[in-house]
Amino acid sequence: MFVSRSKYIEKGVVMSSGSKRVAVVTGAGSGLGREISLGLVARGYQVFGTASAQTLVAELDAASGGGVRLEVVDIVDSAAVDAWAKRVREEVAGVDLLVSNAGILTPGPIELLAIDDVRHEFEVNTFGPLRVINAFLPALRAARGRIVQISTITATVPLPFNAASGASKAAAEVFADVYRAELKEFGVDVTIVSPGSMLTGGPAKSAAAFERLLAAMTPAQRELYGTPFARFAEQFNSRQGEGISATDAATQVIDLAEEQPAPSRRTVGPDAAALLQASKTLTDDELDALRLQLVGLA
């Protein structure tokens, strides 16, 4: 239970005096979210989070020695999010850090994507963060805490066959930028973190999604998109397999979450930094050529 909300700066890190720091992490059951949660526990946080399955709840409880307390919460369900936030707020007086990490990927040519699938991607990647952030804002204001929105570098440099992910995360970034302005007077900071390729459980999930989409293509659709999409899938999986480890990425995210003053946005991983620089220096034609190159179409 939080007792005191007074703060002091120690080694450049904002800490809550006389109480354990509290963090909330969505998508904490696996991948980057899991590593962020464990890393926060190692730095003295009590972590509350969401997971997609009860087995993940029990596994992380054991791995963290009870330092991470997960619940199975669907962030597209407003009532479920509000109920979860209420349960957390009943135990703590404030939240020092909210890491909005949960997200999904719906790859494929835009022409072939079902509108309902694109809409669901926005529900998870864009509206999900809004539900969670709004539900925890009273606790964040009480602690003068920080929001970290996990985005993706493809929100800045969108790639062929990955439009739904880039677009939904780009929309989430707009909301995060405006939150930063609207919450400034309450002492709540907002940082956008854009990772590049990461070595997590994602590649296996992505590969399965690619295979499902290829298998579902009609002969006419395969004639149009089969070969280029297969090249994209191969390049995507290769980059993910060679990306920064989830543990290293999580360490960088936590460092950014504790950096003072709070950065407005940062990249994680060398490829993300390179793409951000390219977005600032290349012409539109050069960026288009780079997009094709990155997905194996040039």
Side-chain angles (χ1 to χ4, degrees), residues 148-202:
V148 173
Q149 176 63 54
I150 304 297
S151 184
T152 172
I153 194 59
T154 59
T156 302
V157 182
L159 298 179
F161 308 126
N162 199 35
S165 174
S168 58
K169 288 290 191 177
E173 287 192 12
V174 171
F175 283 113
D177 282 333
V178 176
Y179 269 130
R180 186 184 306 110
E182 293 180 348
L183 300 178
K184 186 176 181 63
E185 67 174 295
F186 306 119
V188 176
D189 297 317
V190 180
T191 298
I192 298 169
V193 177
S194 298
S197 300
M198 285 186 292
L199 184 58
T200 67

Side-chain angles (χ1 to χ4, degrees), residues 120-292:
H120 182 64
E121 180 122 357
F122 273 79
E123 282 289 344
V124 176
N125 292 356
T126 307
F127 303 128
L130 293 185
R131 294 183 184 93
V132 173
I133 290 170
N134 286 342
F136 281 98
L137 272 180
L140 284 159
R141 275 193 290 265
R144 298 178 70 84
R146 183 177 303 184
I147 299 163
V148 173
Q149 176 63 54
I150 304 297
S151 184
T152 172
I153 194 59
T154 59
T156 302
V157 182
L159 298 179
F161 308 126
N162 199 35
S165 174
S168 58
K169 288 290 191 177
E173 287 192 12
V174 171
F175 283 113
D177 282 333
V178 176
Y179 269 130
R180 186 184 306 110
E182 293 180 348
L183 300 178
K184 186 176 181 63
E185 67 174 295
F186 306 119
V188 176
D189 297 317
V190 180
T191 298
I192 298 169
V193 177
S194 298
S197 300
M198 285 186 292
L199 184 58
T200 67
K205 295 178 181 178
S206 301
F210 298 152
E211 288 299 321
R212 286 194 300 271
L213 192 142
L214 281 166
M217 286 183 184
T218 66
Q221 291 170 341
R222 189 176 291 273
E223 178 71 22
L224 289 170
Y225 293 113
T227 298
F229 184 70
R231 289 176 183 165
F232 161 77
E234 180 181 359
Q235 291 292 322
F236 184 94
N237 289 328
S238 175
R239 288 197 306 275
Q240 293 293 92
E242 297 171 356
I244 185 174
S245 73
T247 301
D248 288 344
T251 298
Q252 292 187 38
V253 170
I254 296 169
D255 286 345
L256 292 172
E258 296 187 326
E259 185 176 317
Q260 294 295 331
S264 58
R265 59 178 65 229
R266 291 287 179 82
T267 58
V268 168
D271 58 337
L275 282 175
L276 178 62
Q277 182 63 22
S279 73
K280 295 177 178 179
T281 59
L282 299 185
T283 66
D284 286 344
D285 286 344
E286 289 170 335
L287 275 175
D288 283 343
L290 178 60
R291 290 183 230 279
L292 294 174

Side-chain angles (χ1 to χ4, degrees), residues 15 22 29-30 35 73 142 159 169 207 252 270:
M15 303 178 67
V22 173
S30 60
E35 298 305 319
V73 180
L159 298 179
K169 288 290 191 177
Q252 292 187 38

